[in-house]
Amino acid sequence: MKKALLIVHHSMTGGTAQLAQAALQGAQTETGVRARLLQAPQAGPDDLLAADGFLFATPENLAAIAGLMKDFFDRCYYPVLDQIQGRPYAALICAGSDGSNAARQVARIATGWRLQAVAEPLIVCTHAQTPAQILAPKQIGAADLQRAEDLGAALAAGLALGVF
Ligand SMILES: Cc1cc2nc3c(=O)[nH]c(=O)nc-3n(C[C@H](O)[C@H](O)[C@H](O)COP(=O)(O)O)c2cc1C
């Protein structure tokens, strides 16, 4: 039976989406794992219950996880509480210049679920400063896409090998 990795993400200007896609690509190099990428509004409690590990990918907006990721966690928190404890997870944050508070929020929610953090949060900064830069479509550089791909591959490899 293949292990399942669920990647849940939201993205407004494309940065997080590119990183989540790169993580999916990395995870798909591991043949022993079935990796799924879902947008936050499409993800629900059944998707969490069906997965053996998770990658939560979100922009940092207003020093917080994006609203649609918060909505995903709000909808799913109690329906899966006490049913996914111990499962491995990692967080991927796309931010303009910070990202630390979004990472803390994801960690806090994951602690409530008693998930096991198996990697440091991957924070990618786009260095968008002005309103025009922040609202512009993002193009994530190759080095950061590689970091996301490596994270997806590491999560999948750990799941496949049963090391988490
Ligand atoms: C309303 C809004 C608030 C933001 N607040 C922050 C913030 O608090 N810290 C930060 O580092 N970046 C912030 N940003 C920048 C985004 O995190 C950055 O543009 C990132 O690329 C968004 O990810 P996305 O391209 O996947 O939508 C904000 C962007 C928007 C639109």
Side-chain angles (χ1 to χ4, degrees):
M1 185 73 169
K2 281 192 179 185
K3 292 285 176 64
L5 174 67
L6 175 67
I7 304 171
V8 182
H9 78 294
H10 168 69
S11 185
M12 195 171 87
T13 53
T16 315
Q18 291 161 40
L19 291 161
Q21 190 65 43
L24 176 69
Q25 221 170 292
Q28 284 173 337
T29 59
E30 181 55 67
T31 53
V33 167
R34 192 166 40 84
R36 290 177 76 203
L37 175 66
L38 289 181
Q39 294 191 347
Q42 271 71 56
D46 289 347
D47 301 302
L48 286 163
L49 293 173
D52 299 288
F54 314 107
L55 178 60
F56 303 118
T58 178
E60 176 169 273
N61 287 348
L62 306 177
I65 60 175
L68 283 174
M69 283 300 287
K70 178 67 162 46
D71 170 72
F72 158 74
F73 286 121
D74 288 351
R75 284 185 290 106
C76 296
Y77 189 82
Y78 284 106
V80 306
L81 188 63
D82 295 332
Q83 298 177 76
I84 58 171
Q85 64 270 29
R87 296 184 196 181
Y89 88 97
L92 199 168
I93 312 294
C94 186
S97 56
D98 187 352
S100 56
N101 214 42
R104 261 194 300 277
Q105 286 185 321
V106 174
R108 184 95 187 252
I109 294 162
T111 297
W113 272 336
R114 302 286 183 262
L115 299 180
Q116 180 197 166
V118 294
E120 288 297 311
L122 173 54
I123 299 178
V124 172
C125 288
T126 57
H127 306 293
Q129 300 284 357
T130 66
Q133 288 170 345
I134 283 179
L135 293 175
K138 301 297 180 292
Q139 186 58 57
I140 304 298
D144 286 325
L145 290 175
Q146 187 62 56
R147 291 162 76 205
E149 191 174 328
D150 291 347
L151 178 60
L155 271 172
L159 278 175
L161 295 169
V163 295
F164 298 140

